[in-house]
């Protein structure tokens, strides 16, 4: 289906700057891992992106359920589904990401790359697709709060 013009312009702007929606979400929209952004937060993002359209119209398109917030799922439903898949697979085997980390022999504060992350998931027997693990790697809170 064709996106409404405000969404198409916004998506082109975001992808031109960040290449993927998930990278934009983690690095730009949601660097503090708050899971959802309200109108003032999104308004600030639109300004920083130099979006030239009507901010309120765009926000209303993005806030698909009308709850006053924008989530990763509002920006890219498919990516949110993959992240949820990986998180659910992890939580079937471990109580937390920290537990997975320790089971794989990593120090609690270890910083790792994507390949090590995927190998750790596989080593622990967490059944999630490669794509889901890559997306989860991008959005998880590395501070393991």
């Amino acid at each position: 289906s064709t996106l409404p013009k405000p969404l198409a312009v916004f998506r082109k702007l975001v992808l031109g700057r960040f290449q993927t929606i998930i990278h934009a979400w983690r690095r730009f929209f949601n660097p503090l891992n708050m899971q959802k952004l309200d109108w003032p937060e999104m308004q600030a993002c639109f300004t920083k992106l130099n979006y030239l359209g009507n901010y309120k119209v765009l926000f209303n398109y993005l806030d698909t359920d009308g709850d006053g917030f924008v989530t990763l799922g509002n920006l890219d439903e498919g990516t949110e589904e993959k992240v949820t898949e990986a998180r659910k697979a992890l939580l079937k085997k471990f109580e937390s990401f920290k537990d997975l980390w320790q089971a794989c022999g990593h120090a609690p504060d270890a910083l790792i790359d994507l390949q090590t992350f995927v190998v750790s998931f596989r080593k622990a027997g967490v059944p999630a697709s490669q794509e889901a693990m890559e997306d989860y790697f991008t959005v998880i809170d590395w501070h393991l709060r």
Side-chain angles (χ1 to χ4, degrees):
S1 69
T2 304
L3 291 175
K5 186 174 181 182
L7 285 178
V9 169
F10 174 73
R11 189 171 181 81
K12 183 177 180 181
L13 188 63
V14 170
L15 292 175
R17 185 164 174 187
F18 298 99
Q19 288 72 51
T20 66
I21 297 294
I22 196 158
H23 285 121
W25 178 255
R26 180 66 174 132
R27 292 187 174 90
F28 181 76
F29 292 104
N30 188 33
L32 299 177
N33 202 24
M34 301 303 292
Q35 306 308 320
K36 59 185 180 177
L37 302 173
D38 62 15
W39 162 241
E41 292 166 320
M42 287 301 295
Q43 194 174 14
C45 290
F46 298 156
T47 300
K48 289 178 194 170
L49 277 171
N50 295 318
Y51 177 74
L52 300 177
N54 183 304
Y55 290 4
K56 194 64 175 172
V57 168
L58 177 58
F59 183 83
N60 289 336
Y61 274 120
L62 293 170
D63 180 19
T64 56
D65 59 4
D67 68 353
F69 295 96
V70 173
T71 65
L72 173 59
N74 295 125
L75 297 179
D76 188 341
E77 186 177 331
T79 296
E80 185 177 58
E81 288 171 1
K82 288 182 282 182
V83 168
T84 300
E85 170 199 333
R87 185 179 298 124
K88 284 180 180 178
L90 168 74
L91 294 176
K92 281 183 182 177
K93 294 194 63 102
F94 298 93
E95 286 189 35
S96 69
F97 182 81
K98 190 173 183 176
D99 292 341
L100 163 68
W101 216 229
Q102 290 174 341
C104 291
H106 300 297
D109 59 351
L111 296 178
I112 58 150
D113 59 18
L114 174 60
Q115 182 178 356
T116 303
F117 179 81
V118 171
V119 167
S120 296
F121 254 62
R122 295 283 183 238
K123 179 179 174 184
V126 176
S129 70
Q130 178 83 18
E131 193 174 12
M133 286 188 281
E134 290 172 4
D135 286 345
Y136 189 42
F137 175 83
T138 303
V139 300
I140 61 170
D141 181 1
W142 287 110
H143 300 291
L144 306 176
R145 289 183 220 156

